[in-house]
Amino acid sequence: MDYDVLILGGGIVGCAVSYELSKYNLNIALIEKDYDIADDVALIDSSIVYDGLECEDTLLSKLELMGNKIMPELASKFNIFFKKKGYLLLADSRKSEEKLVKMYDTALNRGIENIYLLNNSKDIYNLEPSLNKNIRKAIYSKNTAVISPYDLAISYGEIAFDNGVNFKLGEEVLDIKNISKGFRVITNKNKFTCNMVVNTTPRESYRIDKENKFNKKKKYLKYFLLEENSSKAYKNIISVMGENDEKIYTIPTKENGMLIVLKNNRKISNEEGLRKIKYFIKNVSEKNIIPFYESTFYDDFLIIDDSLIDKGYIKIFGKHYGQVTMTPAITTIVCETIVSNLNCVLKKDFIDKRREIYKFRDLLNIDRQNIINLNKKYGKIICYCKKITEGEIIDSIRRPLGARTIEGIRRRTNATFGNCKGSQCLSKVASILAREINKDMTDILKDSKDSNIILGRIKEFDEM
Ligand SMILES: Cc1cc2nc3c(=O)[nH]c(=O)nc-3n(C[C@H](O)[C@H](O)[C@H](O)COP(=O)(O)OP(=O)(O)OC[C@H]3O[C@@H](n4cnc5c(N)ncnc54)[C@H](O)[C@@H]3O)c2cc1C
């Protein structure tokens, strides 16, 4: 066999499984079709750590609560951004008030602690004075937090890499076949044999899979960003339950701004989105809110399918709004099954630590001076909005599983993601990447295949 375990997909779940299994004496590879891990993990570097309160499904709620409890220790071990934030779930109408009370009772029955039903507008406003509406009912949770999803996923991947997991990036799985003992995984570049497969590629279907019943309940998401250090940013994570499953929620960003997400059953315009937001946030000006992105999403759906575990196949499929939170819990369950299946033992030389990272903007002046003395490149700012230095950009490329695309650098350093959205630093970042990986500027990709950021040299145009 080429490998004991093949992990398909290098999203946060695939990376976490590879980290957990790299603790054992197993020969493991992870196959990812994109050029980087954690490509799809989040839009901004801030995700909510939920507590299971809103999950309709009891098992998923338990996974969220379990993940919520593991997360603080994990964040401290990986030395990544993690901040406790209260969660206010607001009801917007009589109908949603009834739903909210039921939700509260269900949560108590599920054993979720530290949640409170607020029946009084004054209590709600004391918790969040920037709210604009006369809301009479809310649930307040003290369990929730925000975390850096990029750092979490990349830490999992880097540590797994340092402990011997073979990452095959830019390689697409085409099919999986049963063989007499184990599997043959066919990619666009290779054929591998292995004893076990953990498939974390959502919505892919291979010959081995039974029919996948995907959720068809499509939602439309619209994202707006409230600028950094805004006095209008909420102190808590806010979620508003509207009519017909419509929802508005806010995620505080690391720099005291706020991502505002509108979830609707239909596509809405920017103007309608802004109207809805202004209805909730007191005196906010349109100038401070940037329409940021829109996408579709299939709601509340995630399955861990181990029906073929006797053959050695586990599939985790679907997408869920709380999947970052659930990841440590999913990983624990999946890995326990694999370890008992393969009868393997813990490695003696496992290193449970991510290599050091210097984030210039977070350092004290004395530490900044020390690091500049060691490496002058840490004294040269490239991204002025986020204060990211050339030293950090080079490190993000040279690290284990280093960045190979502009988005990869952004996920690791935040460069190009300030208020100017890269208009001042993008070309400098691209030329550092080109120099470090010894490629032409015209070969530099934004993200996936064929996403070249420069099409050609102006001199090479045939005509104007
Ligand atoms: C709008 C939105 C907001 C969210 N907010 C939060 C939040 O605040 N808190 C929270 O806990 N969670 C949140 N989530 C959930 C979370 O961000 C994602 O659902 C999660 O990152 C999914 O991880 P994954 O590893 O399962 O899947 P993916 O990230 O999709 O990873 C799967 C990987 O498989 C690769 N792949 C696919 N096909 C192939 C193939 N054939 N061969 C090789 N590789 C392949 C893909 O390129 C991808 O990298 C949110 C999700 C959404 C959509």
Side-chain angles (χ1 to χ4, degrees):
M1 288 286 169
D2 297 318
Y3 295 102
D4 295 313
V5 185
L6 265 177
I7 300 159
L8 315 186
I12 191 163
V13 175
C15 288
V17 171
S18 72
Y19 160 79
E20 206 57 46
L21 288 180
S22 69
K23 295 176 181 170
Y24 295 86
N25 63 338
L26 293 168
N27 189 10
I28 307 163
L30 179 148
I31 307 178
E32 165 57 50
K33 73 174 161 55
D34 281 329
Y35 298 110
D36 195 7
I37 53 168
D39 220 13
D40 241 0
V41 68
L43 267 184
I44 59 159
D45 198 10
S46 189
S47 286
I48 302 171
V49 179
Y50 292 96
D51 63 356
L53 171 69
E54 283 179 84
C55 267
E56 280 174 28
D57 184 280
T58 305
L59 175 65
L60 296 188
S61 165
K62 287 210 158 94
L63 288 176
E64 269 189 14
L65 191 58
M66 192 175 157
N68 178 294
K69 292 199 167 136
I70 302 174
M71 217 54 110
E73 199 191 321
L74 206 56
S76 134
K77 180 161 69 178
F78 294 166
N79 193 16
I80 62 181
F81 169 78
F82 174 88
K83 199 168 184 187
K84 275 268 185 196
K85 285 265 175 192
Y87 190 87
L88 261 175
L89 178 61
L90 312 175
D92 183 26
S93 62
R94 289 260 173 229
K95 212 169 138 196
S96 31
E97 280 180 9
E98 283 166 25
K99 206 172 157 191
L100 192 94
V101 175
K102 274 194 200 144
M103 203 180 253
Y104 178 72
D105 291 339
T106 312
L108 290 183
N109 288 335
R110 284 174 179 166
I112 302 175
E113 295 169 346
N114 303 319
I115 51 169
Y116 308 89
L117 186 64
L118 309 178
N119 291 305
N120 176 335
S121 305
K122 210 170 140 221
D123 292 342
I124 301 170
Y125 285 98
N126 282 344
L127 282 166
E128 198 52 80
S130 290
L131 274 175
N132 198 17
K133 243 198 104 197
N134 201 15
I135 290 171
R136 292 168 308 187
K137 262 197 188 2
I139 302 176
Y140 177 60
S141 166
K142 286 186 177 171
N143 302 315
T144 40
V146 284
I147 194 164
S148 161
Y150 300 151
D151 267 350
L152 178 62
I154 292 170
S155 304
Y156 275 135
E158 286 186 2
I159 300 176
F161 177 90
D162 272 345
N163 285 286
V165 174
N166 193 340
F167 281 77
K168 299 183 172 296
L169 303 179
E171 187 157 345
E172 183 168 0
V173 177
L174 302 179
D175 208 357
I176 312 167
K177 279 188 198 163
N178 262 314
I179 50 175
S180 58
K181 270 189 189 160
F183 302 91
R184 177 167 291 115
V185 174
I186 300 146
T187 73
N188 58 342
K189 296 181 182 164
N190 289 297
K191 285 180 184 157
F192 300 109
T193 53
C194 62
N195 288 315
M196 287 197 78
V197 171
V198 184
N199 182 0
T200 75
T201 60
R203 295 192 167 250
E204 294 281 346
S205 238
Y206 306 110
R207 208 174 311 188
I208 186 164
D209 294 314
K210 290 183 249 158
E211 192 198 354
N212 286 332
K213 291 194 182 67
F214 293 122
N215 193 357
K216 301 280 189 311
K217 227 167 118 191
K218 197 184 210 180
K219 299 271 173 180
Y220 294 86
L221 299 175
K222 215 165 184 76
Y223 302 83
F224 295 83
L225 256 182
L226 183 70
E227 65 184 11
E228 289 174 12
N229 295 317
S230 167
S231 59
K232 306 288 173 226
Y234 292 137
K235 292 195 208 73
N236 298 283
I237 302 159
I238 304 285
S239 184
V240 187
M241 287 190 337
E243 293 287 339
N244 307 321
D245 263 2
E246 293 196 351
K247 205 164 181 187
I248 300 181
Y249 63 96
T250 64
I251 309 177
T253 62
K254 280 200 245 177
E255 293 88 0
N256 299 322
M258 193 160 82
L259 180 73
I260 307 159
V261 187
L262 307 184
K263 192 158 87 173
N264 285 276
N265 294 326
R266 63 188 168 86
K267 212 170 168 175
I268 60 167
S269 65
N270 283 350
E271 291 69 33
E272 188 179 349
L274 278 169
R275 260 200 314 277
K276 283 178 188 259
I277 291 169
K278 285 172 78 177
Y279 189 57
F280 282 98
I281 306 178
K282 217 189 265 177
N283 303 330
V284 72
S285 151
E286 280 179 27
K287 274 192 297 189
N288 305 119
I289 309 176
I290 318 159
F292 174 58
Y293 189 72
E294 58 183 50
S295 69
T296 52
F297 178 59
Y298 296 88
D299 216 12
D300 205 13
F301 178 70
L302 177 87
I303 293 177
I304 305 172
D305 180 358
D306 61 359
S307 58
L308 294 177
I309 188 64
D310 52 325
K311 293 197 168 78
Y313 184 71
I314 301 181
K315 180 164 179 158
I316 301 151
F317 69 106
K319 281 244 177 193
H320 187 275
Y321 68 84
Q323 216 159 319
V324 169
T325 311
M326 288 182 227
T327 292
I330 296 173
T331 314
T332 308
I333 293 166
V334 167
C335 292
E336 272 171 9
T337 312
I338 295 172
V339 166
S340 82
N341 222 281
L342 292 176
N343 213 0
C344 47
V345 293
L346 283 166
K347 274 182 202 157
K348 289 208 175 71
D349 55 353
F350 176 72
I351 304 161
D352 201 359
K353 196 173 182 307
R354 190 183 185 193
R355 291 189 209 176
E356 203 87 57
I357 264 185
Y358 302 107
K359 298 204 168 170
F360 187 82
R361 65 183 180 280
D362 299 337
L363 295 176
L364 297 173
N365 272 348
I366 174 88
D367 296 326
R368 287 176 175 168
Q369 196 51 58
N370 286 341
I371 187 168
I372 293 169
N373 289 344
L374 284 173
N375 181 347
K376 297 271 174 294
K377 300 249 164 30
Y378 279 92
K380 188 172 170 193
I381 302 270
I382 299 292
C383 170
Y384 283 95
C385 301
K386 294 280 181 183
K387 295 193 181 55
I388 312 295
T389 63
E390 184 172 6
E392 288 163 274
I393 293 172
I394 294 175
D395 176 62
S396 77
I397 301 165
R398 293 187 186 171
R399 294 181 70 74
L401 281 180
R404 289 294 173 272
T405 61
I406 299 292
E407 284 294 301
I409 293 177
R410 177 174 77 80
R411 277 193 286 276
R412 285 163 180 80
T413 65
N414 251 318
T416 78
F417 202 51
N419 283 344
C420 85
K421 295 282 165 289
S423 61
Q424 311 226 20
C425 63
L426 180 64
S427 63
K428 289 184 208 157
V429 172
S431 73
I432 296 170
L433 179 60
R435 185 188 72 212
E436 285 293 315
I437 61 175
N438 200 17
K439 288 206 168 167
D440 285 341
M441 282 284 272
T442 45
D443 294 327
I444 296 302
L445 299 174
K446 178 172 183 289
D447 201 358
S448 42
K449 202 171 160 202
D450 297 331
S451 63
N452 304 55
I453 56 163
I454 296 172
L455 294 180
R457 293 166 59 90
I458 291 178
K459 274 191 211 157
E460 288 163 11
F461 281 132
D462 290 338
E463 53 188 68
M464 292 293 281

